[in-house]
Amino acid sequence: MKIALSMDDLYVLESLKVLEADLNVTFDESGIPLRITKSNDQETTIRYENSQGYIEYGETYHIFRAVGLFVQHLNEKKPHFVLKESPLFDTIGPMFDLSRNVVMRIDEFKRMLRKLALMGFNSAMLYMEDTFEIKAYPYFGYLRGRYTEQELKELDDYANQFGIELIPCIQTLAHLDEFLKWEEAAYLKDTRGVLLTDKDTTYDFLEKLITAATKPFRSQRVHIGMDEAEDLGRGHYLNQHGYVSRLEIMTKHLDKVTAITEALDLDVMMWSDMFIKLASESGDNQYDVSLEISEDFKENIPEGVDLVYWDYYHVEKDHYKALIQKHKQLGKTPVVAGGIWMWNTFATKYDFSLKASEALLNASKEEGVKEVFVTLWGDDGFENNFYSAMLGLQLFAEHHYNAVVDQEDWYKRTEFCTGIAAEKYLLLQELDLVPGVEKGGVDQTNPSKFLLWQDVLLGVFDKQLEGLDLSGHYKQLEEKIKNYRSPVETLDFIWDVPEKVCAVLARKALLGVRLKKAYDEKDVVELERIANLDIPELMEKVKILKASHKKQWYTLNKPFGWEVMDIRYGGVLARLETANERVNDYLSGTLPLIDELEQERLPFNAHIEEQTGIGWSTYYYRMASPNVFFHVLQIY
């Protein structure tokens, strides 16, 4: 399709040309005329009549979504149409976790920004704990794929042409484990991941950190983190100062940090959970709807700091409304951050994420929230990838422009903006929606991860898998994904890993259960089959999965962090090799018994029979073994 663009803003005209491939159009004078003009309000109008197109827009970022809608409706062969929409929030965008091993390549980040422009976002947050450079601190982000100042500036320039504001999201109190682990940083440490407050060297460090994090960006906004500092003041600080309440330490620290941001003329956001916890009687209840906030407590929060209420654990709109109202009691309407659950799993948990997001977004509208973000965390190494969350991102975008989101329109927009049908994205959730998981359940469960990484000889999850047809589920899902795939889709490659995961889990999910049963029953024929047919075949499938995952990683991300996945896959293969040896030694009589299989199997998760899932673990090392991987003192 050819379109002849006409508009006064030549800079935006050039930006639109950057999107030609994403729109699947050519901007050429011989094409369909499309006149773009600025309106006097926030409403965008898109018209097509008499073979000519017209767009009136409010803000620059509206243009790119509007042109996409224009092309989308032309593709639907409509002879004429009129579309009108107005934004319902002031700011909306995703937050990319760039601190859990995945650091997106610059070229891939640019492709993502083009998709965000078509969807209609006007911001994006870069969550960087230590993945940016501070030249005075060479160990900050050392060997972690950190972005250089020039790389961040390049991203900011690229986003700016689409009217997208990039906002650095950093940490100025906790979640700094990966920097504080270095001996060179020991003098800055209170506990394992928390900075030592009330010390001049800490604030010298933070001044350089905040300056380095914000300098590459046009935005004057910065998110300073400060969430989940549970052990604040309980390490070296306690030794030096004695007991001081966390609230007192935190408010004093925040005052010093905001003195730095004020000197740099920055507008500050921070996560709200620590303040909400500290306002509760126990000091530990995160986002308790029964919490009563006193007038005295409000004085602990500086006037110029915006609190960010993050929550993606509930599907009830009233829950979110109640917590937004609690935040309002602290002085102002909060910024709200939801999430698409793509962390701690190979799946993207659309079954829960979409319900939680719908409730959160509707509550935000009703409570007059003006700023909304959607978090894309990557906890515990980040086996997943950002593109798998695009259906969820599109939902947030549609809520920005619609009081009520029509599912058909949302699905169509997703396919237009990403090139992938919504139904294909929804296949990803089935990696965790296995037999034994109740439909509509709300308990966390991540079998796609723990079934892959758990050891077949130890079987730490096996007790709760008995009687479930997991092999049949993954075999069918593997075929379903294969049938949905299309090599002409530019993002099709991200379905290769889920397909290969299914191929592995169809063979591995119940292998430990089968092995234990055959051993207990002294079924020599089954033991021989497992050791000499099933395990070798499974090892080949694991190698194929590893190769696919590595190709995807190196396509999307910097290489740093992949070594963690190499080690995990290597561990699976090594333990399968050992299992093969142990069983064959037993069968030959060399080994009188297999100690690992003599052990009674117990549930990994307490009260699993009362849960709607089949188990959950946050950490790989707990899935792989109940034994000690490493020893870290919790405080120091």
Side-chain angles (χ1 to χ4, degrees):
M1 180 189 299
K2 292 183 179 181
I3 294 178
L5 288 175
S6 172
M7 66 182 307
D8 297 329
D9 193 328
L10 297 180
Y11 177 78
V12 174
L13 193 61
E14 290 303 310
S15 301
L16 279 166
K17 291 178 180 178
V18 175
L19 296 175
E20 279 187 324
D22 297 270
L23 290 164
N24 195 26
V25 301
T26 301
F27 294 122
D28 186 276
E29 291 181 358
S30 64
I32 298 168
L34 175 58
R35 176 64 181 166
I36 303 175
T37 57
K38 193 163 189 339
S39 67
N40 295 322
D41 55 33
Q42 290 291 301
E43 185 175 70
T44 297
T45 302
I46 306 157
R47 290 186 294 128
Y48 180 62
E49 56 191 12
N50 301 322
S51 301
Q52 296 191 59
Y54 307 88
I55 291 175
E56 293 182 53
Y57 68 94
E59 300 290 338
T60 299
Y61 78 95
H62 299 160
I63 297 171
F64 308 100
R65 175 180 169 90
V67 172
L69 283 166
F70 179 75
V71 174
Q72 178 185 333
H73 281 72
L74 284 181
N75 288 341
E76 294 172 2
K77 308 299 182 185
K78 295 182 179 180
H80 53 82
F81 52 82
V82 178
L83 309 171
K84 292 180 183 289
E85 58 181 24
S86 299
L88 299 177
F89 303 109
D90 293 340
T91 306
I92 189 165
M95 188 219 71
F96 297 99
D97 184 348
L98 304 164
S99 298
R100 270 47 177 262
N101 291 349
V102 160
V103 179
M104 259 197 296
R105 287 170 35 157
I106 297 299
D107 56 340
E108 280 302 325
F109 214 137
K110 288 179 177 178
R111 170 155 62 168
M112 177 64 75
L113 289 168
R114 294 196 298 272
K115 301 299 184 192
L116 299 184
L118 291 180
M119 289 178 167
F121 290 110
N122 66 353
S123 69
M125 207 176 281
L126 280 62
Y127 180 74
M128 303 177 291
E129 291 174 355
D130 69 328
T131 49
F132 59 97
E133 67 175 348
I134 309 174
K135 291 179 180 175
Y137 296 86
Y139 280 89
F140 192 81
Y142 174 57
L143 297 178
R144 293 257 291 138
R146 63 191 172 200
Y147 288 122
T148 65
E149 179 184 332
Q150 183 55 42
E151 284 177 319
L152 291 175
K153 186 178 185 306
E154 184 179 344
L155 286 177
D156 191 61
D157 289 341
Y158 200 82
N160 181 68
Q161 68 182 318
F162 303 123
I164 295 175
E165 177 188 21
L166 292 191
I167 303 169
C169 180
I170 57 177
Q171 288 289 356
T172 58
L173 181 58
H175 284 295
L176 287 168
D177 310 53
E178 301 311 317
F179 173 55
L180 295 178
K181 70 188 176 195
W182 296 108
E183 187 178 347
E184 287 291 317
Y187 69 98
L188 294 168
K189 180 165 59 174
D190 177 10
T191 62
R192 186 172 66 183
V194 178
L195 287 172
L196 182 57
T197 64
D198 204 17
K199 192 172 181 181
D200 289 345
T201 51
T202 297
Y203 298 101
D204 290 340
F205 163 68
L206 285 175
E207 182 177 13
K208 291 182 175 65
L209 181 149
I210 295 167
T211 300
T214 56
K215 184 180 177 183
F217 300 98
R218 287 171 174 79
S219 176
Q220 288 301 110
R221 307 189 74 188
V222 62
H223 192 315
I224 60 172
M226 293 201 185
D227 59 314
E228 298 181 320
E230 315 298 348
D231 48 354
L232 173 64
R234 296 176 179 177
H236 293 296
Y237 185 97
L238 182 64
N239 295 338
Q240 295 174 17
H241 301 278
Y243 174 77
V244 180
S245 75
R246 287 184 297 171
L247 179 59
E248 182 179 338
I249 298 171
M250 185 154 183
T251 53
K252 187 176 181 181
H253 177 68
L254 181 56
D255 285 342
K256 292 187 176 184
V257 172
T258 52
I260 295 170
T261 58
E262 285 172 10
L264 294 170
D265 197 26
L266 297 169
D267 298 321
V268 175
M269 291 181 274
M270 66 173 287
W271 303 116
S272 68
D273 58 296
M274 283 302 294
F275 274 119
I276 298 297
K277 288 175 188 175
L278 296 174
S280 69
E281 289 185 10
S282 68
D284 293 312
N285 290 336
Q286 180 171 308
Y287 298 146
D288 181 0
V289 293
S290 65
L291 173 69
E292 294 298 329
I293 297 173
S294 68
E295 287 297 320
D296 290 342
F297 188 83
K298 297 178 186 179
E299 297 176 2
N300 294 301
I301 303 171
E303 188 174 331
V305 174
D306 290 327
L307 294 182
V308 184
Y309 160 45
W310 58 272
D311 195 347
Y312 23 75
Y313 293 98
H314 302 87
V315 295
E316 306 86 10
K317 181 177 67 173
D318 287 345
H319 168 87
Y320 295 114
K321 284 172 65 75
L323 265 298
I324 292 170
Q325 290 165 11
K326 295 293 181 187
H327 281 76
K328 287 179 179 179
Q329 293 175 24
L330 292 170
K332 63 172 74 172
T333 302
V335 179
V336 168
I340 300 299
W341 283 73
M342 55 182 298
W343 52 92
N344 267 317
T345 179
F346 280 83
T348 298
K349 302 177 74 61
Y350 281 119
D351 55 310
F352 184 79
S353 297
L354 298 179
K355 293 177 186 175
S357 297
E358 188 77 19
L360 176 79
L361 287 160
N362 284 325
S364 295
K365 291 174 185 176
E366 291 181 19
E367 290 297 323
V369 170
K370 294 301 180 185
E371 298 193 277
V372 172
F373 291 93
V374 48
T375 59
L376 305 174
W377 297 110
D379 297 12
D380 192 47
F382 206 173
E383 290 97 344
N384 212 329
N385 68 86
F386 292 119
Y387 286 116
S388 74
M390 299 301 270
L391 176 63
L393 293 188
Q394 192 74 61
L395 176 65
F396 274 75
E398 297 314 300
H399 269 282
H400 181 43
Y401 297 96
N402 297 278
V404 177
V405 174
D406 179 82
Q407 185 184 83
E408 183 179 356
D409 290 342
W410 159 37
Y411 281 11
K412 285 180 179 179
R413 286 293 297 153
T414 301
E415 184 165 7
F416 178 82
C417 292
T418 70
I420 303 292
E423 290 76 14
K424 189 170 177 179
Y425 285 105
L426 292 173
L427 282 178
L428 297 172
Q429 66 191 3
E430 296 187 32
L431 272 81
D432 283 342
L433 291 180
V434 300
V437 176
E438 292 182 25
K439 188 174 182 180
V442 295
D443 292 311
Q444 293 176 328
T445 191
N446 57 345
S448 65
K449 181 165 178 167
F450 69 67
L451 291 174
L452 179 61
W453 299 136
Q454 80 159 344
D455 181 71
V456 297
L457 277 176
L458 300 176
V460 294
F461 285 88
D462 281 354
K463 184 63 178 177
Q464 52 216 61
L465 307 179
E466 294 172 358
L468 302 176
D469 185 17
L470 300 177
S471 298
H473 173 83
Y474 283 114
K475 186 175 182 180
Q476 291 176 13
L477 183 55
E478 179 190 3
E479 290 303 312
K480 198 183 295 187
I481 293 173
K482 280 182 182 178
N483 293 335
Y484 260 95
R485 295 191 60 185
S486 171
V488 301
E489 297 171 349
T490 58
L491 293 182
D492 175 74
F493 70 94
I494 69 168
W495 271 264
D496 200 56
V497 171
E499 180 187 320
K500 302 299 190 294
V501 167
C502 289
V504 167
L505 296 186
R507 294 159 176 82
K508 185 175 186 293
L510 295 176
L511 187 61
V513 175
R514 289 175 53 211
L515 188 57
K516 171 71 170 156
K517 183 174 185 290
Y519 179 80
D520 288 345
E521 296 175 356
K522 296 183 170 47
D523 187 340
V524 173
V525 173
E526 177 71 352
L527 288 173
E528 287 180 341
R529 180 185 299 112
I530 290 172
N532 301 312
L533 291 177
D534 295 348
I535 288 179
E537 179 183 309
L538 173 57
M539 291 177 71
E540 290 306 309
K541 294 296 182 183
V542 172
K543 291 175 185 176
I544 292 170
L545 167 59
K546 176 190 170 187
S548 173
H549 198 172
K550 180 160 63 175
K551 182 179 180 181
Q552 175 184 281
W553 186 290
Y554 278 74
T555 297
L556 299 177
N557 311 311
K558 293 187 177 187
F560 304 94
W562 172 254
E563 74 279 1
V564 172
M565 295 302 149
D566 256 343
I567 292 166
R568 292 182 184 183
Y569 282 114
V572 171
L573 291 167
R575 289 300 294 164
L576 287 171
E577 184 178 290
T578 296
N580 175 286
E581 293 170 355
R582 299 277 288 164
V583 174
N584 277 318
D585 286 348
Y586 172 73
L587 291 171
S588 69
T590 306
L591 195 65
L593 54 84
I594 302 175
D595 288 296
E596 300 94 322
L597 298 180
E598 289 285 326
Q599 294 286 308
E600 178 188 1
R601 295 301 189 244
L602 302 174
F604 181 89
N605 299 99
H607 311 295
I608 187 66
E609 70 282 353
E610 301 171 11
Q611 298 178 22
T612 56
I614 63 165
W616 168 268
S617 179
T618 302
Y619 300 111
Y620 156 79
Y621 70 90
R622 292 297 184 211
M623 302 172 190
S625 171
N627 290 295
V628 178
F629 264 60
F630 52 83
H631 181 68
V632 179
L633 287 174
Q634 188 65 30
I635 298 298
Y636 302 109

